[in-house]
Amino acid sequence: MTDFQWDIRPDVAAALAERRPVVALESTLIAHGLPWPENWETARAAEKAIRDEGAIPATIAVWEGRPAIGLNEDQLEHLARRPNVRKASSRDLAAAFVQKAFAATTVAATMLLAHRAGLRVFATGGIGGVHRGYANHLDISADLMELARTPVAVVCAGAKGILDLAATLEMLETMSVPVVGYGTDEFPAFLLASSGLPVGSRVDSPQEAAALLDAHWRLGGAGVVLAQPLPLEMALEPNEFHTALVRAESRATAEGVRGPALTPYLLARLAELTEGRTLKANRTLIEANARLATRIACFLTSGG
Ligand code: PSU
Ligand code: MN
């Protein structure tokens, strides 16, 4: 592969060698997206969902400077408990390797490492995107850039409501990233029932999703956003969510929170302001995405 040392968990390496399905999971949502102990519970629930559906989970991070493909139980707990873990997007990986750092990987960095290790399907909660107010302060997640260049399918519940979803979709269109609704014609809005924005295409089964991915990659295409809505009964009430979001945003502005710290900050404030409802919904949708990603990965490896 490359000349730095990889930590590929043995069961992941065996599955890859035998062409059995492996599903990638990110670590930023564990280290920065959710508080203890919900982060640890969510990480374990996602791994279990993947195993239950018949694949091997590989949570990806940087461990003492080594790209880790598949954390063990102790490592997962460590990552969930440890304060001050670095948040690494794609451009931060090289520094994390050289400085022997512990780093949690964002969607972008997870895609990059997953692809280099030979994984094609990745499950998470929501991708990063274009932040609200980008006209005043340009903040666009590198997740979008990585989707434009790296051939990995990201199974998610859309993008977080803390983002400008319309601008995020425009940018994905410009960069030729397919945005595929799973069982829906609308782009899922993460914790909310609907975004009112259309997706580029729709599939209704894991088999159809796998066929679409295969066709896209045969054409030399890169990343794909495969978005499924969270179960309706878990969705947050839009007014409640928006009131909480406006409050969280004005606190972020008042406290001068910007850049990579902004996403974790907003997510933490939203959890407080909704009395934990965002956390519960987050866990539910990550588990559901892990299941769907596994079903798709099974079709991809069986050549279907
Ligand atoms: N969505 C969540 N929780 C998270 C993230 C997304 O519900 O923690 C993380 C993902 O790792 C995503 C990152 O890749 O936030 C985007 O951060 P930024 O906007 O700084 O690129
Ligand atoms: Mn940013």
Side-chain angles (χ1 to χ4, degrees), residues 131 139-141 259-260:
H131 279 266
D139 186 347
I140 301 172
S141 175

Side-chain angles (χ1 to χ4, degrees), residues 20-242:
R20 285 185 283 115
V22 180
V23 174
L25 294 165
E26 61 153 309
S27 44
T28 290
L29 86 92
I30 304 171
H32 302 281
L34 296 167
W36 173 268
E38 283 86 354
N39 57 353
W40 187 54
E41 291 162 8
T42 302
R44 287 165 54 103
E47 295 223 337
K48 182 172 183 307
I50 292 168
R51 288 190 198 278
D52 288 350
E53 295 291 331
I56 303 291
T59 299
I60 292 180
V62 180
W63 206 264
E64 288 178 322
R66 291 185 304 275
I69 311 294
L71 300 181
N72 63 35
E73 291 260 315
D74 287 348
Q75 288 176 311
L76 264 190
E77 184 175 345
H78 192 72
L79 193 74
R81 282 185 186 271
R82 193 186 162 101
N84 305 324
V85 175
R86 274 195 209 189
K87 172 179 166 185
S89 194
S90 305
R91 69 166 188 175
D92 308 311
L93 288 172
F97 294 167
V98 170
Q99 292 158 3
K100 309 242 175 296
F102 284 97
T105 49
T106 64
V107 168
T110 304
M111 284 181 77
L112 179 54
L113 294 178
H115 172 58
R116 290 295 147 94
L119 279 62
R120 294 189 288 176
V121 182
F122 161 25
T124 187
I127 58 168
V130 181
H131 279 266
R132 284 151 54 103
Y134 64 88
N136 296 320
H137 177 75
L138 189 65
D139 186 347
I140 301 172
S141 175
D143 292 354
L144 302 186
M145 314 302 150
E146 202 60 51
L147 279 159
R149 68 172 186 158
T150 298
V152 168
V154 182
V155 180
C156 60
K160 291 159 286 178
I162 61 173
L163 300 168
D164 185 326
L165 294 186
T168 300
L169 287 174
E170 288 293 349
M171 184 126 186
L172 287 166
E173 181 182 345
T174 300
M175 298 189 310
S176 295
V177 176
V179 177
V180 183
Y182 188 84
T184 180
D185 297 305
E186 244 188 61
F187 188 54
F190 200 58
L191 302 175
L192 304 181
S194 86
S195 69
L197 300 163
V199 286
S201 54
R202 165 185 179 147
V203 295
D204 288 287
S205 68
Q207 196 167 4
E208 197 184 356
L212 187 152
L213 292 172
D214 187 55
H216 185 63
W217 292 332
R218 279 176 198 277
L219 287 168
V224 175
V225 176
L226 213 123
Q228 78 168 336
L230 98 157
L232 206 56
E233 67 276 9
M234 295 295 297
L236 269 76
E237 203 278 307
N239 286 331
E240 180 198 13
F241 180 79
H242 282 112

